[in-house]
């Protein structure tokens, strides 16, 4: 696998992220928030990495924002491996985390471990992410024992969309909030190095963030988490569906692409592209021969 060589300068590692939280325990104002974004291909990974994002998640949101599926459930391991390799090749500083897709860790432990190892060995992932809290205790312990750093994911877990009955804010009742706290604690106890909190009330996310020793990474979980993650297509304005209210759009790249393509089509149709300067020229001697490119 060819990877952009590591400059050795400021490479983000799992211990770095843990240390950021530990060191800031005494003085929360010194804590530098963790920046995370998704990426699925080489150029995006390079741009994110060079812009200084700390963690790049090859999310199984791939299924929806890149492959056009209705949800994430049909994404396969082979698709995730393919995209993780591309992201790894474009990343030099950020920590690369690969999302384990639905079905790749839901059968037995041996199978799940084998699948997680493929992300490390075949795609260069530095960690994997799995969805679920208490029910993933054994799995997360097994993966961390095998030296695979694990990022947990609790709250709204998109792979449970059918069980949850839709994409809804989680932890809104007292019982649900208690369960979410138990889930986050279980993920930490099992050895995860960070946990994504998705679509949970900000007060609950703040409480979990205060309690856990590992960093919390919020998405739709308010500003008090230790870090934030967004789907890069939402941030760039490259999605076609309505996005949730937490998905702030920082640019409208979709509009830029559409405008460029419309201009190109117009130029081709009107003869404005390519110009003479954008064309190759035959040497004068061959230009004078009438049968320049034709064998008689
Ligand atoms: O798949 C994904 O992109 C994710 C993030 C939104 C956390 O799981």
């Amino acid at each position: 696998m060819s990877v952009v060589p590591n400059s050795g300068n400021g490479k983000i590692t799992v211990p770095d992220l843990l240390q950021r939280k530990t060191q800031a325990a005494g003085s929360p104002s010194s804590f530098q928030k963790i920046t995370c974004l998704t990426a699925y291909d080489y150029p995006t990974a390079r741009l994110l990495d060079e812009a200084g994002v700390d963690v790049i998640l090859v999310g199984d949101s791939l299924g929806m924002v890149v492959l056009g599926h209705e949800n994430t459930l049909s994404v396969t391991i082979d698709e995730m491996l393919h995209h993780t390799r591309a992201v790894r090749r474009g990343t030099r500083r950020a920590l690369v985390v690969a999302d384990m897709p639905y079905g790749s860790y839901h059968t037995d432990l041996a199978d799940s471990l084998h699948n997680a190892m493929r992300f490390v060995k075949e795609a260069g992932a530095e960690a994997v992410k799995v969805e679920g809290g208490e029910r993933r205790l054994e799995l997360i312990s097994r993966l961390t024992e095998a030296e695979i750093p694990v990022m947990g994911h609790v709250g709204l877990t998109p792979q449970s969309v059918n069980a949850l009955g839709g994409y809804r804010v989680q932890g809104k009742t007292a019982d649900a909030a208690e369960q979410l706290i138990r889930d986050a604690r279980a993920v930490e106890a099992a050895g995860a190095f960070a946990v994504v909190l998705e679509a949970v009330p900000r007060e609950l996310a703040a409480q979990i963030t205060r309690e856990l020793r590992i960093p919390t990474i919020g998405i739709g979980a308010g500003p008090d988490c230790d870090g934030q993650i967004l789907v890069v297509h939402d941030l760039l304005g490259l999605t076609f569906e309505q996005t949730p209210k937490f998905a702030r759009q920082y640019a409208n790249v979709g509009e830029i692409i559409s405008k460029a393509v419309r201009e190109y089509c117009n130029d081709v149709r009107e003869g404005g592209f390519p110009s003479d300067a954008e064309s190759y020229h035959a040497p004068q001697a061959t230009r004078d021969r009438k049968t320049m490119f034709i064998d008689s």
Side-chain angles (χ1 to χ4, degrees):
M1 185 182 52
S2 107
V3 172
V4 178
N6 186 340
S7 67
N9 295 330
K11 168 75 186 132
I12 304 289
T13 64
V14 163
D16 290 336
L17 298 179
L18 281 165
Q19 230 173 30
R20 268 201 221 178
K21 181 139 182 176
T22 322
Q23 279 175 353
S27 64
S29 59
S30 69
F31 183 76
Q32 200 194 6
K33 295 249 186 188
I34 300 166
T35 55
C36 317
L37 280 173
T38 65
Y40 317 94
D41 58 42
Y42 172 83
T44 312
R46 271 201 81 153
L47 291 168
L48 266 45
D49 193 56
E50 287 166 15
V53 76
D54 295 321
V55 177
I56 298 182
L57 170 72
V58 189
D60 65 350
S61 46
L62 164 83
M64 297 170 81
V65 298
V66 174
L67 303 179
H69 294 300
E70 196 183 318
N71 56 45
T72 60
L73 299 179
S74 57
V75 175
T76 66
I77 296 197
D78 286 341
E79 286 167 342
M80 289 302 300
L81 287 169
H82 175 76
H83 287 271
T84 304
R85 280 186 207 107
V87 166
R88 190 68 188 90
R89 286 192 286 267
T91 307
R92 140 164 89 172
R93 175 185 171 272
L95 184 82
V96 175
V97 181
D99 224 355
M100 292 192 67
Y102 177 65
S104 68
Y105 57 99
H106 300 76
T107 52
D108 60 75
L109 276 184
D111 238 29
S112 310
L113 177 60
H114 170 77
N115 291 335
M117 275 182 177
R118 290 191 68 192
F119 281 101
V120 177
K121 290 173 86 91
E122 296 176 32
E126 295 161 301
V128 297
K129 178 167 83 58
V130 296
E131 295 184 5
E134 282 188 318
R135 63 187 187 281
R136 301 284 173 244
L137 234 166
E138 218 185 338
L139 170 71
I140 296 175
S141 303
R142 189 70 196 90
L143 298 186
T144 50
E145 265 167 36
E147 325 300 349
I148 302 172
V150 177
M151 177 179 272
H153 184 159
V154 301
L156 171 56
T157 45
Q159 290 173 11
S160 327
V161 60
N162 291 328
L164 295 174
Y167 299 106
R168 301 208 173 87
V169 179
Q170 303 295 302
K172 282 171 79 174
T173 64
D175 283 353
E178 279 304 319
Q179 181 58 50
L180 226 150
I181 292 168
R182 282 198 295 276
D183 282 336
R185 285 182 187 146
V187 164
E188 173 175 274
F193 72 91
V195 61
V196 171
L197 305 179
E198 178 162 353
V200 303
R202 67 172 285 184
E203 297 77 10
L204 180 57
Q207 184 185 337
I208 293 171
T209 301
R210 278 193 301 276
E211 191 184 314
L212 296 194
R213 283 167 287 108
I214 59 172
T216 60
I217 310 295
I219 173 161
D224 303 308
C225 297
D226 298 311
Q228 295 291 329
I229 185 161
L230 281 178
V231 168
V232 75
H233 286 59
D234 291 342
L235 174 134
L236 295 177
L238 273 172
T239 45
F240 298 95
E241 315 302 335
Q242 204 189 339
T243 53
K245 74 169 178 180
F246 60 76
R248 188 186 296 181
Q249 188 184 312
Y250 282 83
N252 196 340
V253 175
E255 206 169 278
I256 294 171
I257 292 175
S258 297
K259 182 169 175 288
V261 173
R262 274 197 303 270
E263 278 177 28
Y264 163 77
C265 290
N266 199 48
D267 282 352
V268 170
R269 287 176 192 133
E270 305 283 317
F273 177 82
S275 66
D276 186 58
E278 288 158 331
S279 307
Y280 296 110
H281 293 97
Q284 194 58 50
T286 47
R287 270 198 240 181
D288 294 340
R289 284 176 52 202
K290 290 215 168 54
T291 53
M292 193 161 41
F293 299 119
I294 304 164
D295 286 336
S296 54

Short mmCIF file of all heavy atoms in Angstrom, two decimals, residues 38 40 57-62 72 99 129 131 153 158 196 198 219 229-231, ligand 1:
data_model
loop_
_atom_site.label_atom_id
_atom_site.label_comp_id
_atom_site.label_asym_id
_atom_site.label_seq_id
_atom_site.Cartn_x
_atom_site.Cartn_y
_atom_site.Cartn_z
N THR A 38 -15.71 13.32 8.17
CA THR A 38 -15.67 12.09 7.38
C THR A 38 -14.96 12.39 6.06
O THR A 38 -14.94 13.54 5.60
CB THR A 38 -17.09 11.58 7.05
OG1 THR A 38 -17.74 12.52 6.21
CG2 THR A 38 -17.90 11.34 8.32
N TYR A 40 -14.04 9.97 2.19
CA TYR A 40 -14.23 8.66 1.56
C TYR A 40 -13.28 8.45 0.39
O TYR A 40 -13.32 7.42 -0.26
CB TYR A 40 -15.69 8.52 1.06
CG TYR A 40 -16.69 9.04 2.06
CD1 TYR A 40 -17.16 10.36 2.00
CD2 TYR A 40 -17.14 8.24 3.10
CE1 TYR A 40 -18.06 10.85 2.93
CE2 TYR A 40 -18.04 8.73 4.05
CZ TYR A 40 -18.48 10.03 3.96
OH TYR A 40 -19.35 10.52 4.90
N LEU A 57 -12.75 10.15 9.70
CA LEU A 57 -13.54 8.92 9.80
C LEU A 57 -14.01 8.53 8.41
O LEU A 57 -14.66 9.33 7.72
CB LEU A 57 -14.76 9.15 10.71
CG LEU A 57 -15.78 8.01 10.70
CD1 LEU A 57 -15.24 6.77 11.43
CD2 LEU A 57 -17.11 8.45 11.32
N VAL A 58 -13.66 7.31 8.01
CA VAL A 58 -14.25 6.78 6.78
C VAL A 58 -15.57 6.17 7.24
O VAL A 58 -15.64 5.03 7.70
CB VAL A 58 -13.34 5.72 6.11
CG1 VAL A 58 -13.89 5.36 4.74
CG2 VAL A 58 -11.91 6.23 6.02
N GLY A 59 -16.60 7.01 7.24
CA GLY A 59 -17.89 6.61 7.81
C GLY A 59 -18.66 5.72 6.85
O GLY A 59 -18.49 5.82 5.63
N ASP A 60 -19.54 4.90 7.43
CA ASP A 60 -20.40 4.12 6.53
C ASP A 60 -21.52 5.00 5.97
O ASP A 60 -22.34 4.54 5.17
CB ASP A 60 -20.93 2.86 7.22
CG ASP A 60 -21.86 3.16 8.37
OD1 ASP A 60 -21.97 4.34 8.78
OD2 ASP A 60 -22.49 2.21 8.89
N SER A 61 -21.52 6.29 6.36
CA SER A 61 -22.37 7.27 5.68
C SER A 61 -22.01 7.31 4.20
O SER A 61 -22.77 7.83 3.37
CB SER A 61 -22.21 8.66 6.31
OG SER A 61 -20.85 8.97 6.51
N LEU A 62 -20.86 6.74 3.86
CA LEU A 62 -20.47 6.47 2.47
C LEU A 62 -21.67 5.98 1.66
O LEU A 62 -21.90 6.43 0.53
CB LEU A 62 -19.38 5.38 2.48
CG LEU A 62 -19.10 4.68 1.15
CD1 LEU A 62 -18.15 5.52 0.32
CD2 LEU A 62 -18.50 3.30 1.38
N THR A 72 -27.50 3.23 5.63
CA THR A 72 -26.12 2.71 5.63
C THR A 72 -26.06 1.17 5.63
O THR A 72 -24.96 0.60 5.58
CB THR A 72 -25.37 3.22 6.89
OG1 THR A 72 -26.06 2.76 8.06
CG2 THR A 72 -25.29 4.72 6.92
N ASP A 99 -15.07 2.98 9.82
CA ASP A 99 -16.36 2.53 10.38
C ASP A 99 -16.57 1.08 10.00
O ASP A 99 -16.46 0.73 8.81
CB ASP A 99 -17.47 3.37 9.72
CG ASP A 99 -18.50 3.85 10.69
OD1 ASP A 99 -18.44 3.48 11.88
OD2 ASP A 99 -19.37 4.62 10.25
N LYS A 129 -14.45 2.05 14.23
CA LYS A 129 -15.60 2.53 15.01
C LYS A 129 -16.71 1.49 14.93
O LYS A 129 -16.96 0.94 13.86
CB LYS A 129 -16.10 3.88 14.47
CG LYS A 129 -17.33 4.38 15.23
CD LYS A 129 -17.64 5.84 14.93
CE LYS A 129 -18.42 6.07 13.67
NZ LYS A 129 -19.72 5.40 13.59
N GLU A 131 -20.86 0.78 16.39
CA GLU A 131 -22.05 1.41 16.99
C GLU A 131 -22.60 0.53 18.11
O GLU A 131 -22.62 -0.69 17.99
CB GLU A 131 -23.13 1.61 15.92
CG GLU A 131 -22.72 2.59 14.83
CD GLU A 131 -23.84 2.86 13.82
OE1 GLU A 131 -24.96 2.35 14.01
OE2 GLU A 131 -23.57 3.58 12.84
N HIS A 153 -19.77 4.50 19.60
CA HIS A 153 -20.79 5.39 18.98
C HIS A 153 -22.12 5.06 19.64
O HIS A 153 -22.63 3.94 19.47
CB HIS A 153 -20.82 5.10 17.47
CG HIS A 153 -21.74 5.99 16.69
ND1 HIS A 153 -21.60 6.18 15.32
CD2 HIS A 153 -22.82 6.73 17.04
CE1 HIS A 153 -22.55 7.00 14.88
NE2 HIS A 153 -23.31 7.33 15.92
N PRO A 158 -27.09 4.97 13.42
CA PRO A 158 -27.83 4.81 12.16
C PRO A 158 -27.99 3.35 11.69
O PRO A 158 -28.94 3.05 10.97
CB PRO A 158 -27.00 5.63 11.16
CG PRO A 158 -26.30 6.65 12.01
CD PRO A 158 -25.99 5.95 13.29
N VAL A 196 -18.43 8.56 20.06
CA VAL A 196 -19.29 9.49 19.34
C VAL A 196 -20.65 9.52 20.04
O VAL A 196 -21.21 8.48 20.35
CB VAL A 196 -19.47 9.05 17.86
CG1 VAL A 196 -20.55 9.89 17.17
CG2 VAL A 196 -18.15 9.14 17.11
N GLU A 198 -24.29 10.79 19.21
CA GLU A 198 -25.05 11.33 18.06
C GLU A 198 -26.50 11.62 18.45
O GLU A 198 -27.19 10.77 19.02
CB GLU A 198 -25.01 10.33 16.88
CG GLU A 198 -25.83 10.84 15.69
CD GLU A 198 -25.52 10.17 14.36
OE1 GLU A 198 -24.57 9.38 14.28
OE2 GLU A 198 -26.25 10.47 13.39
N ILE A 219 -22.06 14.83 17.50
CA ILE A 219 -22.70 15.18 16.22
C ILE A 219 -24.18 15.35 16.57
O ILE A 219 -24.86 14.38 16.93
CB ILE A 219 -22.42 14.14 15.11
CG1 ILE A 219 -23.25 14.47 13.85
CG2 ILE A 219 -22.61 12.69 15.54
CD1 ILE A 219 -22.75 13.83 12.56
N ILE A 229 -17.87 16.13 15.13
CA ILE A 229 -17.72 15.49 13.82
C ILE A 229 -18.90 15.86 12.94
O ILE A 229 -20.02 16.04 13.45
CB ILE A 229 -17.58 13.94 13.94
CG1 ILE A 229 -17.29 13.32 12.56
CG2 ILE A 229 -18.80 13.29 14.58
CD1 ILE A 229 -16.70 11.92 12.61
N LEU A 230 -18.65 16.03 11.66
CA LEU A 230 -19.73 16.22 10.68
C LEU A 230 -19.42 15.35 9.47
O LEU A 230 -18.27 14.99 9.22
CB LEU A 230 -19.83 17.68 10.23
CG LEU A 230 -20.52 18.69 11.16
CD1 LEU A 230 -20.47 20.09 10.55
CD2 LEU A 230 -21.97 18.30 11.46
N VAL A 231 -20.47 15.05 8.73
CA VAL A 231 -20.30 14.38 7.44
C VAL A 231 -19.83 15.47 6.47
O VAL A 231 -20.47 16.51 6.33
CB VAL A 231 -21.63 13.75 6.98
CG1 VAL A 231 -21.57 13.30 5.53
CG2 VAL A 231 -22.01 12.58 7.90
O1 LIG B 1 -20.92 7.12 9.23
C1 LIG B 1 -20.67 8.24 9.68
O2 LIG B 1 -20.38 9.19 8.95
C2 LIG B 1 -20.73 8.41 11.13
C3 LIG B 1 -20.54 9.79 11.68
C4 LIG B 1 -21.63 10.68 11.29
C5 LIG B 1 -20.32 9.77 13.14
O3 LIG B 1 -20.92 7.48 11.83
#
